């Protein structure tokens, strides 16, 4: 029993060095909306596309996004973009194993924001926008629905925007 207690005490300092819990002080919904709106405004292009060649975080891997619809920017439908996964570095490197590979596989589709700072090829791929974000962009007039469906501005905004 004494050994067990001693081992627990020795392990405690290591636990103290672990990453802090995420979202200790959550950002208010209004601040998240404002940050997202700034991200949309700063995008040089907003497109709807399908992955033709998987986009992964593997070293040297370059995928292809086939554009089906353009919401914003000077790109054209049918154009193919070479893209490389660009994920922000994690706040806590312990949470994501180094060998883990993020991937968007061939055939997946969605809305992609291409940042204004993106130049050359391959372009950075930061992932597809979720349904709540797309609905928010449409309802606030930031993009026009490709399907002609307009959500009401009074629709609730997801707290996970």
């Amino acid at each position: 029993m004494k050994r067990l207690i001693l081992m627990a005490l020795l392990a405690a300092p290591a636990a103290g060095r672990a990453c802090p819990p995420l979202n200790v002080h959550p950002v208010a919904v209004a601040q998240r909306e404002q940050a997202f709106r700034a991200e949309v405004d700063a995008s040089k292009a907003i497109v709807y596309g399908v992955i033709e060649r998987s986009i992964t975080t593997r070293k040297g891997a370059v995928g292809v996004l086939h554009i089906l619809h353009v919401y914003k920017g000077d790109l054209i439908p049918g154009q193919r973009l070479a893209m490389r996964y660009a994920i922000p570095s994690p706040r806590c490197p312990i949470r994501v194993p180094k060998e883990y590979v993020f991937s968007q596989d061939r055939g997946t589709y969605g809305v992609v924001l291409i940042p204004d700072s993106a130049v050359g090829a391959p372009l950075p791929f930061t992932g597809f926008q979720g349904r709540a974000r797309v609905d928010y962009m449409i309802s606030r007039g930031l993009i026009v629905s490709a399907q002609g469906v307009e959500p009401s501005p009074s629709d609730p905004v997801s707290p996970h925007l």
Side-chain angles (χ1 to χ4, degrees), residues 39 41-45 114-119:
E39 184 181 349
D41 290 342
S43 297
K44 77 172 170 185
I114 299 173
D116 194 32
S117 60
V119 291

Side-chain angles (χ1 to χ4, degrees), residues 29-76:
V29 172
Q31 290 173 313
R32 287 196 305 267
E33 284 185 45
Q34 184 178 15
F36 179 64
R37 191 176 194 120
E39 184 181 349
V40 170
D41 290 342
S43 297
K44 77 172 170 185
I46 302 173
V47 299
Y48 176 81
V50 63
I51 303 291
E52 285 191 348
R53 187 180 335 137
S54 295
I55 301 173
T56 72
T57 55
R58 285 192 180 95
K59 188 173 181 169
V62 176
V64 174
L65 177 74
H66 179 199
I67 298 174
L68 302 175
H69 182 78
V70 178
Y71 295 103
K72 175 185 175 183
D74 59 358
L75 301 172
I76 55 173

